[in-house]
Amino acid sequence: MTKITAAITAVGKYLPEFILSNAMLEKMVDTNDEWITTRTGIKERRILKGENLGSSFMAIEAAKNLIEKKGLNPLEIDLVIVSTATPDMQAASTAAYTATKIGATNAFTFDLISACSSFLYGMSTAARYIESGRYKKVMLIGSDMNSSMIDYTDRATCIIFGDGAGAVLFEPNEEGYGLIDEVHQTDGNGREFLQVPAGGSWMPATKETVEQKKHFVYQDGKTVFKYAVSKMAEVADKILERNELSKENIDWLATHQANRRIVDATASRIGLPEEKVMINIEKYGNTTSATLPLLLADYENQLKKGDKIIFAAFGGGFSWGAIYMKWAY
Ligand code: UT7
């Protein structure tokens, strides 16, 4: 029997119109364009504005973009996964609402939450459903409205994050294209260094949690930075070794974009030149679950069938991992 692999066959994206530039941030907090550019590589980020618009709004728009580009009938979608760190609500899944609004009424749905690794883990999850042979079309969407959990008076975090969404479609492939291998790891001791402490079951919302700004992202940047650099490089190395890949035969590196210096360090550890490294941090900042699909959408017309891509991500939890994929179109 031919082995079924799970291949990405279409991508879509959505970015809010509003651009928050470094110049604007200079007026909001004690920072400057030079610091932000040299320490992070970010020039601007997108922010979703408007009443009652959450991550589902962007997820729906990214999915619609994919559906239109691919000419896909949404009734054929079997499963919709929304990877997100900022779901619309605690108890009703963002994916259920998204699927209904795009007309994917035959699909079952769930959210996948693992901070900045949400989309990477979503790729593994989507692939397993396809590889099972039971499901033919799985839509994976990464959508994050990071601005909903950022304190715009805190210069340590507000300069980094942006909003956005990207969507991919996974389908079965019998020619060996698609997801080939993966290495994923976590370390729960890391949660003290990167978290939104309140609003969940551990510290439910109260008047005090709001007053004490516990619903915003807290990050010990230096510690997270060190872990991110070493762990992303470690899993990328492991996946190369295991698949007998060398820097010469990798076509692209697509990593989570939290800081340009982390991306560059991962690339240099595996010896990849700049032209093989996908970058979007300067335009969008750290978009959490949207980063990887936005990279694919922005580089889609440079990708060729058979291109070997290494994906890697690191985020809260701590959680991290890498995926090796052969591009299918
Ligand atoms: O996506 C999930 C994973 N997240 C990450 O991977 C993020 C990892 N961390 C980082 O990217 C970096 O640690 C940051 C960009 C968050 C911070 O950069 P850093 O080079 O680690 O800076 P730092 O926190 O060590 O701060 C250095 C200095 C400090 O001043 P002093 O104490 O040396 O006088 C900060 O107060 O820079 C100051 N600083 C700023 N200055 C201007 C911190 N934020 C700013 C700012 N503008 N926005």
Side-chain angles (χ1 to χ4, degrees), residues 18 20 24-25 27-30 45-49 145-163 213 216:
F18 183 82
L20 179 62
M24 288 167 169
L25 283 165
K27 298 198 176 83
M28 294 159 65
V29 289
D30 180 15
R45 54 305 279 139
R46 301 299 181 103
I47 305 292
L48 183 63
K49 301 266 188 193
M145 186 178 168
N146 288 315
S147 60
S148 67
M149 55 177 185
I150 292 300
D151 174 4
Y152 284 93
T153 64
D154 175 13
R155 69 175 184 176
T157 51
C158 74
I159 55 133
I160 300 168
F161 293 93
D163 302 338
K213 300 189 167 193
F216 292 126

Side-chain angles (χ1 to χ4, degrees), residues 14 93 134 136 171 199 229 243 266 285:
Y14 174 77
S93 92
R134 186 172 299 208
K136 307 291 178 217
E171 292 187 88
V229 168
N243 292 280
T266 309

Side-chain angles (χ1 to χ4, degrees), residues 30-32 35-36 39-40 116 155-156 159-161 194 219 221-222 224-225 228 256 258-259 261-262 286 314-316:
D30 180 15
T31 191
N32 57 77
W35 192 95
I36 303 174
R39 303 309 290 166
T40 71
C116 295
R155 69 175 184 176
I159 55 133
I160 300 168
F161 293 93
L194 177 52
Q219 173 169 252
K222 261 198 182 344
V224 179
F225 186 96
H256 177 55
N259 187 317
R261 291 183 291 137
I262 300 176
N286 179 350
F314 181 91

Side-chain angles (χ1 to χ4, degrees), residues 11 39 70 115 120 142 176 191 195 218 237 240 299 301 305:
V11 300
R39 303 309 290 166
K70 176 87 174 158
L120 190 83
R191 85 172 181 180
Q195 57 176 231
Y218 161 78
D237 257 353
L240 295 194
Y299 282 82
N301 52 25
K305 190 172 179 173

Side-chain angles (χ1 to χ4, degrees), residues 90 197-211 214-215:
Q90 283 256 11
S201 55
W202 186 68
M203 192 188 285
T206 62
K207 191 165 153 281
E208 287 72 34
T209 60
V210 173
E211 282 165 3
K214 301 269 187 207
H215 295 266

Side-chain angles (χ1 to χ4, degrees), residues 6 81 112 117-131 140 170 179 181-184 322-323 325:
I81 305 171
L112 195 154
S117 305
S118 302
F119 193 84
L120 190 83
Y121 293 178
M123 290 205 283
S124 301
T125 308
R128 295 300 94 75
Y129 280 97
I130 294 290
E131 289 158 6
L140 172 65
F170 275 93
L179 196 152
D181 195 12
E182 64 193 34
V183 183
H184 297 318
I323 282 176
M325 181 178 282

